[in-house]
Amino acid sequence: MLIVALFCCWFLGIWLSSFVNVPIPTGFMLSLAFFGSGLFFRGQRQIAIFLTCMGMIVLGGVRYQFAVPVINTHHIAFYNDNLTVNIKGTVIDEPDIRDRFVQLRVRVESISLPDEEATAVSGIILVQAFRYPEIGYGDALVINGRLSTPPDDGEFNYRTYLAQQGIHSIVTFPDIQIVAENQANPVRAKILDVKNTARGTINRSIADPQAALLIGILLGDDNGLPEQLNNDFQITGMTHIIAISGFNISIIIWVLLAMGRPFLSLKGTAIFAAVGISLYTVLVGADPSVVRAALMGGLYLFVGYWLGRPTFAIASLLWAAFLITLHDPLALWHVGFQLSFAATLSLMLFAKPATDWVSGRVALIFEREISEKVMGIITESVIITLTAQILTLPLIMLTFGQLSLVSLAANALILPAQPGVMLWGGLATLVGLIFPQVGIILGWLAWLFLSYSIYWVELLAKVSFASVAIEFGPMQAILTYALIAALFWILSQPRKKRRAFFKWVQNNGVQRSVTGTAVLATFVIFNWGYSQPDGRLHIYFLNVGQGDATLILTPSGRTILVDGGFYPSILNAELGKHLPFWQKRIDIMVATHPDADHVSGLVDVFDRYQVDMLVTEGSERGETAVYDAVLTAAENEKTLIKTAVVGEQIMIGDGVTLQILHPNENRNEENRNENSVAMRLTYGDFAYLFTGDAEVFAERTMLQTGLPLQATVFKAGHHGSRTSSTEPFLTAV
């Protein structure tokens, strides 16, 4: 379908433009050229479609460039990481209240530098402030504090996360003065008042933690959940029920459809559900993520129940996604948008086939009347909620790096209770707004379903293998979706075609082997491409049990291994985890000193990798047997063995330099720890210092050389022992 291809090209253009910066006028003219060429070749359909798709890609890129702010003197981010300033602005979103602080999104109007007049600026900042005095939506503020660039600590890129929401500056615990109230959108202010009233109604009707869970499920605010319970939801893979997305909307749709079906026609039921979703969106505050989820859920109702055209559903879904990204192209990176889109697409693709398949199996077991009752119970409460996760699970693993091994059991046990939570919790909230005492009684019914959910979440979270951390990157996600698409295509074929396909595969061994080899080769090539150097410096402190082992990867992929721990098998496994599968070279290996807990693991490395250079502290053979084995392995593999020389600089390339700080000619013959190789790695403004097992004598010697010791990261000497890290040395570092 052409419309599907065009929208996909639009999304591709937005994504590509985040990597390639094309000037807006150039991109706009280029898109017009492609569209014009498409019209010129309209008689040649394939060429015309190709040119039009190219125009759509460029146009998507142009829209993205319009959304990305220019950081100049008129943008607030220009003043990051500088002096303390005065900022005037207005709170434009519901305050995010935590236990000890509150986060405010403030649209700025002006900034005043010390001893200067106010300058008009634009942009949004994130302010972390004390909870009291209370600050609300629409309050106009004067903020006195220091603007900072959001951090990127390697584990979580907070800078990119906020940039995708249009935020490039943060202010932490500034002085704040409220100068006016109700300065923002009055309609949204009323909506948030309703949400706050609903929150209060729930808190008065139900005790915690059930109330906190219901607020999370109904209102999308999980800040009140106890930390341990929140962790249990993550471990069991059940966080999707407390983060409003397409999944929650699918449950609400089921509840509303179940309520309307006995009294209304099919179209009337769809209207009833759509109105219910709209009211729910207002109730929870009409946040952008909720609006997106409601829009896509309403779309599912429209095409499935009103139009009765499932073949039109995907195109309609893409229309909705197009309109959302047309308004805000940065939404493409919002997890809420991605999960809502994936959940809705899952429903469109898999809900009916799954229901038909289960219905057929149930009909084989029970009589017609009983099978209809069984299907009435499990169709939307179990099947639809499970099928909504088929396309969301890879996203969850990609985003959170965690796979719950009890998720299937948790979903099977907990999901059937969620319609009860939604129904009775929603009624308790709505009725409680008008008749508080009746709301409390209805809240007791909701409490039963909430307590049931909490019981199973807490119980399953205690299972020792409940959850595992996984490295699930973009390439793995792409391959997973490709596999899902292939399986869906095969299973969606008529039975006769499926049988013919499998028979063809069975009867064509050569073709099957060639095809399989090609598929495997494609996977290998993709993984090879994905594992190429990313232009950053990486330092991994390997978990080798006893001893030290540090792996350094330079921006272009050169490798430095410092020590190897005590256990060869563990070191080899860690190297296999952190090095690309095709990487079989260690450029520099450093054996800081002969102790077994530093060099035992290095011996087997020579069997698996080509080691170009081994740097040692200069000990002769005979210090330890394992050290002799390292030297022998290096000699057998013709590795260059180099003795560390104080002051020498080893140029690694990419701007990475190693400077040797120790040992010098004054060796300590009584304690070989004091002869450990100490080196300082520098890369731009970054410095990393490692000193092996160097103790007081070695640290004093390094101080006397006058060589630079300052470091951004310091790996404490001798595993943090009290014989190392003396105060003068730490002061210099």
Side-chain angles (χ1 to χ4, degrees):
M1 188 181 294
L2 178 60
I3 194 70
V4 172
L6 291 177
F7 286 148
C8 289
C9 288
W10 166 267
F11 305 138
L12 178 62
I14 293 175
W15 179 70
L16 289 176
S17 192
S18 66
F19 301 101
V20 181
N21 186 8
V22 178
I24 292 175
T26 302
F28 187 70
M29 295 303 296
L30 188 59
S31 65
L32 289 179
F34 276 122
F35 288 134
S37 300
L39 289 174
F40 181 79
F41 286 99
R42 62 184 179 276
Q44 298 173 271
R45 179 175 173 79
Q46 291 184 343
I47 296 177
I49 290 176
F50 172 78
L51 292 170
T52 305
C53 286
M54 291 299 296
M56 205 67 172
I57 290 174
V58 178
L59 195 60
V62 170
R63 179 63 188 94
Y64 173 83
Q65 295 298 333
F66 265 114
V68 177
V70 177
I71 308 298
N72 55 25
T73 54
H74 300 293
H75 193 278
I76 189 66
F78 179 83
Y79 303 92
N80 285 356
D81 309 310
N82 211 320
L83 303 172
T84 299
V85 295
N86 276 330
I87 303 166
K88 290 184 179 180
T90 304
V91 180
I92 60 168
D93 205 350
E94 181 183 20
D96 181 5
I97 300 174
R98 310 294 177 91
D99 274 345
R100 292 178 293 177
F101 61 89
V102 60
Q103 293 193 142
L104 309 168
R105 293 172 187 257
V106 177
R107 176 174 286 117
V108 299
E109 301 165 5
S110 65
I111 184 171
S112 300
L113 299 177
D115 302 322
E116 292 187 17
E117 294 293 327
T119 302
V121 293
S122 61
I124 300 172
I125 62 174
L126 183 67
V127 179
Q128 188 176 93
F130 295 107
R131 283 195 60 178
Y132 301 100
E134 292 185 353
I135 299 173
Y137 170 78
D139 287 354
L141 310 175
V142 174
I143 302 166
N144 180 261
R146 185 174 181 271
L147 290 163
S148 300
T149 301
D152 173 10
D153 61 7
E155 289 294 324
F156 174 65
N157 195 335
Y158 194 48
R159 186 180 308 163
T160 300
Y161 171 77
L162 290 179
Q164 291 164 357
Q165 302 173 51
I167 299 173
H168 301 271
S169 307
I170 58 177
V171 184
T172 305
F173 298 113
D175 293 327
I176 299 178
Q177 179 184 358
I178 303 174
V179 295
E181 297 179 348
N182 303 321
Q183 300 300 302
N185 188 321
V187 175
R188 179 154 172 74
K190 292 295 183 183
I191 291 174
L192 292 179
D193 285 342
V194 173
K195 180 178 179 179
N196 289 329
T197 304
R199 184 187 289 110
T201 299
I202 293 173
N203 283 325
R204 287 188 294 271
S205 301
I206 307 172
D208 276 328
Q210 287 82 1
L213 178 58
L214 183 60
I215 291 172
I217 292 173
L218 284 183
L219 306 183
D221 178 7
D222 61 352
N223 291 331
L225 274 180
E227 184 177 357
Q228 184 56 54
L229 182 57
N230 200 16
N231 291 337
D232 290 344
F233 270 95
Q234 293 180 14
I235 291 170
T236 55
M238 295 302 298
T239 52
H240 54 82
I241 72 172
I242 53 174
I244 297 178
S245 65
F247 173 80
N248 302 69
I249 295 297
S250 70
I251 296 179
I252 296 172
I253 287 174
W254 177 82
V255 172
L256 295 172
L257 290 176
M259 292 173 61
R261 196 175 287 121
F263 311 103
L264 301 170
S265 65
L266 190 64
K267 291 185 177 181
T269 303
I271 294 175
F272 174 73
V275 171
I277 290 175
S278 301
L279 293 175
Y280 172 74
T281 302
V282 173
L283 177 67
V284 301
D287 293 324
S289 60
V290 183
V291 173
R292 289 193 295 264
L295 177 61
M296 293 181 179
L299 184 64
Y300 168 71
L301 282 172
F302 178 69
V303 300
Y305 286 82
W306 182 268
L307 295 181
R309 294 179 59 187
T311 56
F312 185 66
I314 295 177
S316 301
L317 177 64
L318 291 173
W319 260 110
F322 167 73
L323 293 175
I324 289 170
T325 53
L326 181 64
H327 170 69
D328 177 18
L330 299 180
L332 196 64
W333 285 270
H334 293 178
V335 175
F337 169 81
Q338 295 169 0
L339 289 174
S340 297
F341 184 90
T344 308
L345 184 60
S346 265
L347 289 173
M348 292 177 173
L349 294 177
F350 307 123
K352 188 177 185 305
T355 302
D356 292 344
W357 185 85
V358 174
S359 177
R361 298 304 177 273
V362 171
L364 295 175
I365 302 173
F366 302 105
E367 295 180 357
R368 180 178 178 181
E369 184 176 345
I370 297 177
S371 65
E372 288 178 353
K373 291 181 179 179
V374 171
M375 290 304 299
I377 295 173
I378 68 172
T379 295
E380 278 135 340
S381 63
V382 177
I383 297 174
I384 284 184
T385 49
L386 285 177
T387 53
Q389 295 183 74
I390 293 176
L391 295 182
T392 58
L393 184 59
L395 270 176
I396 292 171
M397 291 191 294
L398 174 65
T399 304
F400 302 107
Q402 185 170 299
L403 175 63
S404 173
L405 301 181
V406 298
S407 176
L408 187 61
N411 278 282
L413 289 167
I414 297 170
L415 288 183
Q418 298 318 296
V421 171
M422 291 284 193
L423 176 61
W424 296 110
L427 285 175
T429 303
L430 292 174
V431 174
L433 292 172
I434 305 172
F435 305 107
Q437 297 303 318
V438 180
I440 291 175
I441 296 174
L442 294 174
W444 294 342
L445 298 175
W447 180 90
L448 292 173
F449 292 96
L450 292 163
S451 299
Y452 171 87
S453 302
I454 291 174
Y455 171 79
W456 282 112
V457 165
E458 291 180 335
L459 183 65
L460 291 172
K462 294 177 182 177
V463 177
S464 58
F465 56 86
S467 178
V468 293
I470 59 171
E471 294 187 10
F472 194 81
M475 184 53 60
Q476 287 88 339
I478 291 172
L479 294 177
T480 301
Y481 281 121
L483 179 61
I484 292 173
L487 290 174
F488 176 72
W489 179 83
I490 293 172
L491 295 175
S492 64
Q493 300 301 307
R495 181 179 299 179
K496 187 175 180 180
K497 285 189 175 182
R498 284 204 309 270
R499 288 179 175 175
F501 173 76
F502 288 124
K503 186 175 181 180
W504 177 86
V505 172
Q506 184 178 359
N507 295 335
N508 292 271
V510 176
Q511 292 91 329
R512 185 169 69 251
S513 299
V514 172
T515 302
T517 302
V519 171
L520 290 175
T522 301
F523 286 170
V524 170
I525 292 171
F526 267 115
N527 275 281
W528 175 82
Y530 179 68
S531 59
Q532 290 296 302
D534 61 2
R536 296 181 178 180
L537 175 69
H538 298 259
I539 300 177
Y540 300 100
F541 298 96
L542 305 183
N543 183 9
V544 292
Q546 182 178 348
D548 275 3
T550 305
L551 177 66
I552 301 167
L553 301 182
T554 72
S556 64
R558 302 194 71 185
T559 55
I560 304 168
L561 177 62
V562 183
D563 289 335
F566 197 87
Y567 306 102
S569 60
I570 297 179
L571 175 64
N572 291 327
E574 287 290 308
L575 291 177
K577 182 191 300 183
H578 293 288
L579 289 175
F581 71 93
W582 45 265
Q583 175 70 275
K584 289 298 177 183
R585 166 176 285 184
I586 303 292
D587 293 283
I588 298 175
M589 176 189 287
V590 181
T592 59
H593 64 296
D595 282 3
D597 61 340
H598 286 255
V599 298
S600 288
L602 297 177
V603 180
D604 285 3
V605 173
F606 290 92
D607 293 334
R608 292 165 172 78
Y609 298 89
Q610 176 187 336
V611 181
D612 292 344
M613 179 191 297
L614 171 65
V615 178
T616 74
E617 38 77 84
S619 290
E620 301 293 336
R621 290 178 181 274
E623 281 286 335
T624 63
V626 69
Y627 179 68
D628 291 351
V630 172
L631 295 178
T632 299
E635 291 170 353
N636 292 340
E637 297 300 324
K638 297 180 172 51
T639 297
L640 173 64
I641 301 177
K642 178 180 179 57
T643 300
V645 177
V646 171
E648 181 179 5
Q649 291 190 341
I650 302 174
M651 311 303 293
I652 309 299
D654 310 318
V656 178
T657 302
L658 277 176
Q659 184 172 39
I660 298 174
L661 306 175
H662 191 72
N664 61 12
E665 64 278 3
N666 298 322
R667 298 177 62 83
N668 189 319
E669 301 302 334
E670 297 179 358
N671 182 359
R672 59 173 170 253
N673 285 343
E674 298 285 26
N675 302 320
S676 293
V677 175
M679 306 178 81
R680 182 172 180 264
L681 179 147
T682 56
Y683 175 60
D685 294 331
F686 173 83
Y688 163 53
L689 179 65
F690 53 95
T691 58
D693 278 358
E695 299 182 1
V696 176
F697 172 82
E699 292 182 353
R700 187 181 302 124
T701 302
M702 281 186 272
L703 286 170
Q704 292 170 353
T705 63
L707 294 172
L709 296 175
Q710 180 276 330
T712 315
V713 175
F714 168 45
K715 204 284 299 175
H718 204 184
H719 321 284
S721 169
R722 65 180 179 182
T723 59
S724 303
S725 303
T726 57
E727 186 171 345
F729 188 75
L730 286 180
T731 300
V733 172

